[in-house]
Amino acid sequence: MRLSSCSLRRAAAAAVIAFVMVGCSSGSGSESQDGEDEKDSGSQFPVTVTDKFGSATIEEAPERIVTIGWGSQDAVAALGTVPVATTDFTWGTVDKYLPWFEDRVEELDGELPEILRYTDSDEVDFEQVLALDPDLILAIHSGLTENEYERLSEIAPTVGFQERAWTSDWKELTRTVGQVMGKSQEADELIEETESEIAEQAAAHPEFEGRAFTYGWYLSEGATALDLYVPEDPRVQLIEQLGFTVSPQVEELSKDADDFFVSVSLEKLSTVQSDFHLAWVDQPGDLDRTLDNTLVAQWEPIVGDSYYFMEDNGLAWASSQPSVLSIPWQLDKIVPIIADRLAPAT
């Protein structure tokens, strides 16, 4: 899923419970269920968090939250608030909002948030954000630029990513969202419950343990290299939690990577160890083009029929942006497929 001009397609190609019902929210924010909740939340403020571009101080519990990029909208909703605006996730069968996020908004009896617009230069529409009157902007797992950060910070406290764009761990993201919302304990509980579900799946599939894997996307028209996600990418880390091990060659190549993926020349693809290859495709012809390539067809996981290309856009989104909402949604779908497609160890 490469981010398009609305900021989606670049990051994906470039491309997750029990809920804590602390309140109900419309697009304008949420209210605590009782005065004690408000007291506990308020006692955690002010909160100051730092990121790659600077620091943000949140003086009181935010009610109008704008989320940019992936994952933050899920964490905010899981913690009981519907963002006032969020990224457009339209892709194939997915229309604007991710299915698990829509389900959560319905549980909160809220209204689906406004969709963020982007300019021709691929920047957030600052006028739209200003008109939304947010008291917090979250872009923790995003491709936020320094210019965007500075301009958004003039509108409201803005929290970006820590080190590298599009590589924020879902647990780190959830903890940060919990901190800035004054709900750190609830965030920790969500993480614990989600990790428990992952651990149960891993325990049920001991055949995953220690098997080398790669995760990437399709071979585009005329491409001479296959792109694979680096170990720091959240989608890779989730598969690791199921017991798999990142391909040692991808691990080595990633040491000098400045992005969330590395490009492996097709001529050198055979040197990349992989017992299982996971990927996604965009258009109907992408899968055939990839598998029909002579050099790809000779690669270890393809020869062994030990691979899976996600053609379901919803599932691909869930895998690409792990969160406390999308992980439980996807596990029962993706894990059986991986188990079925993984070639036996030799």
Side-chain angles (χ1 to χ4, degrees):
M1 292 145 238
R2 285 184 182 269
L3 284 184
S4 63
S5 59
C6 67
S7 186
L8 285 177
R9 292 213 181 274
R10 164 85 171 95
V16 140
I17 272 182
F19 301 114
V20 181
M21 299 297 289
V22 295
C24 293
S25 167
S26 68
S28 300
S30 67
E31 297 180 356
S32 300
Q33 287 182 321
D34 53 54
E36 188 62 32
D37 287 344
E38 292 181 2
K39 180 179 178 181
D40 291 344
S41 177
S43 66
Q44 299 183 42
F45 293 94
V47 171
T48 298
V49 293
T50 59
D51 57 37
K52 180 179 176 64
F53 302 115
S55 63
T57 298
I58 299 88
E59 299 291 348
E60 57 186 8
E63 295 182 347
R64 298 185 59 79
I65 304 174
V66 169
T67 64
I68 299 171
W70 305 352
S72 293
Q73 79 287 345
D74 285 0
V76 170
L79 289 168
T81 296
V82 180
V84 294
T86 190
T87 294
D88 185 349
F89 289 93
T90 298
W91 182 36
T93 57
V94 176
D95 183 19
K96 297 184 181 65
Y97 307 99
L98 297 169
W100 50 90
F101 177 77
E102 284 190 297
D103 291 344
R104 179 57 175 160
V105 172
E106 184 176 354
E107 287 183 4
L108 293 171
D109 195 27
E111 296 178 5
L112 290 168
E114 191 169 314
I115 294 297
L116 289 173
R117 298 190 297 268
Y118 284 77
T119 66
D120 292 339
S121 59
D122 225 15
E123 287 193 321
V124 177
D125 186 330
F126 301 109
E127 292 186 3
Q128 179 195 16
V129 177
L130 179 62
L132 287 163
D133 191 28
D135 44 29
L136 178 63
I137 300 170
L138 298 176
I140 302 170
H141 183 59
S142 73
L144 194 72
T145 66
E146 186 169 6
N147 179 63
E148 287 177 306
Y149 175 84
E150 291 176 352
R151 294 188 64 179
L152 289 170
S153 294
E154 294 176 356
I155 299 173
T158 300
V159 182
F161 52 86
Q162 286 297 315
E163 297 180 4
R164 190 189 303 182
W166 300 110
T167 59
S168 299
D169 174 76
W170 66 269
K171 290 172 287 186
E172 168 196 314
L173 181 150
T174 304
R175 289 192 185 98
T176 301
V177 173
Q179 182 182 10
V180 299
M181 290 181 66
K183 298 180 179 180
S184 293
Q185 181 176 342
E186 292 95 326
D188 287 341
E189 290 171 354
L190 286 171
I191 292 170
E192 183 179 352
E193 291 164 0
T194 306
E195 287 198 302
S196 177
E197 293 194 39
I198 298 171
E200 287 180 9
Q201 292 283 359
H205 294 279
E207 71 272 21
F208 295 170
E209 186 65 29
R211 303 294 298 278
F213 82 104
T214 47
Y215 193 145
W217 63 93
Y218 63 92
L219 194 66
S220 58
E221 190 71 47
T224 59
L226 190 66
D227 297 318
L228 304 172
Y229 296 112
V230 300
E232 293 82 5
D233 190 281
R235 74 201 92 199
V236 172
Q237 295 176 345
L238 177 60
I239 303 302
E240 279 191 287
Q241 284 191 275
L242 291 173
F244 285 90
T245 302
V246 176
S247 167
Q249 288 74 31
V250 173
E251 187 93 46
E252 184 63 29
L253 289 170
S254 300
K255 292 179 180 179
D256 298 321
D258 294 324
D259 219 324
F260 53 90
F261 65 95
V262 294
S263 296
V264 180
S265 168
L266 294 180
E267 295 180 349
K268 296 182 179 180
L269 187 59
S270 61
T271 66
V272 177
Q273 177 190 355
S274 178
D275 296 320
F276 184 80
H277 180 60
L278 183 63
W280 54 267
V281 296
D282 188 13
Q283 303 295 329
D286 293 340
L287 180 57
D288 289 340
R289 182 193 313 113
T290 303
L291 297 180
D292 288 346
N293 180 277
T294 302
L295 295 176
V296 173
Q298 295 173 357
W299 188 30
E300 178 182 4
I302 309 303
V303 170
D305 200 30
S306 187
Y307 63 87
Y308 179 60
F309 283 78
M310 290 173 281
E311 298 178 89
D312 180 313
N313 303 128
L315 184 57
W317 262 130
S319 178
S320 293
Q321 66 111 65
S323 75
V324 291
L325 295 185
S326 68
I327 291 175
W329 186 91
Q330 73 172 284
L331 286 178
D332 288 338
K333 300 175 177 63
I334 191 69
V335 172
I337 293 173
I338 295 175
D340 181 62
R341 301 297 181 88
L342 177 65
T346 56

